[in-house]
Amino acid sequence: MTALLRRYGRGLTIAILGLTAFWLLALVVLPYFIMFRYSFRPYLPVDQLGGPNDVYTLGNYATFFSSPRTIQLFGWAFDIPIHVQIFVLTVFYSCVVTVICLVAAYPLAYFLAKMAAPRNAPTLFIVLLIPLWVSEVLRSFAWFIILSFQGPLNTSLIGLGLIARPVRWLTGFNGVVVGLVYTYVLFMLFPIYNAIQSLDSNQIEAAQDLGSPTWRTHWRVVIPHSKPGIASGCVMVFMLSAGSILVPTLLASTTSRWFTEIVQQWMFESQDWNTGSAYAFLLLLICVLFVSLMMRLFKVRLADIAK
């Protein structure tokens, strides 16, 4: 507080704190509190609201564990609620997207931060940012066209003689993973780039002068220094992927439903906001657990991730 007052003065400091408080309370805390309250109330006709049936209950959460279906896994048959299965698959493939983005973004971030000529960096960043200038709808449609059965990808591969017949790329979660990686990989790149850029290059050169191989230099010097950036990127990519609705809607197949589609169906198609709130709260809970896991795994604080 003292530093803010000294730097911005009393008037500007009050304005900054007021806007921050308004954003946190009115746009974050209050909606989640209302959603949390709705999640414990039954879905009732309007004329029964406030009546004897309008009581707090766990029925909306019990719906999550209803409608079991039998699945085959490693030769064993299991009965699992269909919404639990969709929820687990959404979390699993969000983790897959996060790992792919990390593997793809880390080498590029290191190249931009420590190997690319400073005069070329702005041009490279503009090239990387061009996809973000296009609407997410158009980007998803572009991938839908590319991955379609008679699309340019199959046509090119057949023309090059790499495949004999068209491949159905949009099966399972393939299209969703491709679309999410393409959409959110930059959210992994920039935090890692910022973290690596702050590393003194003399430390890397000292490790190389002492005979450290490249992989050990990254393992012992670069990665430990860039842990806050990696944790921040993982958190953003996972949360954006798990909460995405547009990409799974456009690129999913009949066997790859995303959990946010279920939430949308409850709220906007069934008009059952109470059950939808319960499902949305479960998604929020898993995101909070993922943030906690990243903080423990990379041994960073929330303030480090926020940087």
Side-chain angles (χ1 to χ4, degrees):
M1 178 65 74
T2 304
L4 284 175
L5 288 172
R6 188 183 304 115
R7 183 170 184 177
Y8 299 110
R10 177 175 297 178
L12 190 55
T13 299
I14 292 175
I16 293 173
L17 293 178
L19 290 173
T20 305
F22 173 78
W23 180 78
L24 283 175
L25 295 176
L27 303 180
V28 178
V29 176
L30 183 60
Y32 280 114
F33 175 77
I34 294 174
M35 183 183 73
F36 183 71
R37 183 168 173 267
Y38 275 171
S39 70
F40 289 101
R41 297 178 64 183
Y43 177 54
L44 297 172
V46 177
D47 58 350
Q48 294 187 23
L49 293 177
N53 294 328
D54 193 2
V55 296
Y56 289 98
T57 175
L58 293 174
N60 296 326
Y61 291 92
T63 306
F64 182 70
F65 299 99
S66 62
S67 304
R69 61 180 296 186
T70 303
I71 62 171
Q72 297 288 335
L73 186 63
F74 303 116
W76 295 84
F78 297 92
D79 288 334
I80 181 172
I82 185 170
H83 289 166
V84 173
Q85 181 190 9
I86 295 173
F87 183 76
V88 171
L89 289 176
T90 299
V91 172
F92 173 74
Y93 282 103
S94 296
C95 292
V96 171
V97 170
T98 303
V99 171
I100 294 175
C101 287
L102 175 60
V103 172
Y106 178 81
L108 183 56
Y110 181 79
F111 173 79
L112 292 171
K114 295 300 177 186
M115 300 179 67
R119 65 177 182 278
N120 296 330
T123 304
L124 295 173
F125 274 112
I126 290 176
V127 172
L128 291 171
L129 287 172
I130 285 177
L132 292 182
W133 298 352
V134 183
S135 166
E136 189 175 343
V137 177
L138 297 179
R139 278 180 281 163
S140 300
F141 267 122
W143 273 110
F144 180 80
I145 294 172
I146 292 172
L147 298 174
S148 61
F149 189 67
Q150 299 293 340
L153 180 59
N154 276 330
T155 303
S156 301
L157 293 177
I158 292 174
L160 294 172
L162 298 178
I163 57 176
R165 61 186 64 183
V167 177
R168 293 193 180 278
W169 301 104
L170 293 175
T171 58
F173 287 88
N174 298 337
V176 179
V177 171
V178 170
L180 291 177
V181 169
Y182 178 75
T183 302
Y184 299 128
V185 67
L186 293 182
F187 291 89
M188 181 73 77
L189 173 67
F190 291 129
I192 299 177
Y193 168 79
N194 289 330
I196 295 179
Q197 193 182 36
S198 63
L199 175 64
D200 189 350
S201 298
N202 290 328
Q203 296 185 40
I204 300 175
E205 295 174 0
Q208 293 172 341
D209 292 341
L210 292 173
S212 173
T214 302
W215 69 268
R216 182 171 294 174
T217 301
H218 282 270
W219 183 254
R220 300 295 295 273
V221 179
V222 183
I223 291 178
H225 181 83
S226 57
K227 282 193 301 184
I230 294 174
S232 178
C234 290
V235 167
M236 284 197 292
V237 172
F238 176 83
M239 295 180 74
L240 289 171
S241 300
S244 179
I245 181 67
L246 185 59
V247 174
T249 300
L250 294 177
L251 296 176
S253 66
T254 55
T255 59
S256 58
R257 299 189 70 188
W258 210 248
F259 192 69
T260 49
E261 296 178 286
I262 307 299
V263 177
Q264 185 190 37
Q265 287 178 357
W266 278 120
M267 288 192 167
F268 297 106
E269 295 181 14
S270 302
Q271 293 292 310
D272 186 353
W273 283 52
N274 298 355
T275 305
S277 297
Y279 279 44
F281 186 75
L282 290 173
L283 185 61
L284 173 65
L285 186 63
I286 197 65
C287 290
V288 172
L289 292 176
F290 186 82
V291 174
S292 303
L293 176 64
M294 287 295 103
M295 292 172 59
R296 179 173 292 274
L297 182 63
F298 290 100
K299 298 180 180 177
V300 296
R301 300 172 300 173
L302 194 60
D304 298 325
I305 294 178
K307 293 178 181 177

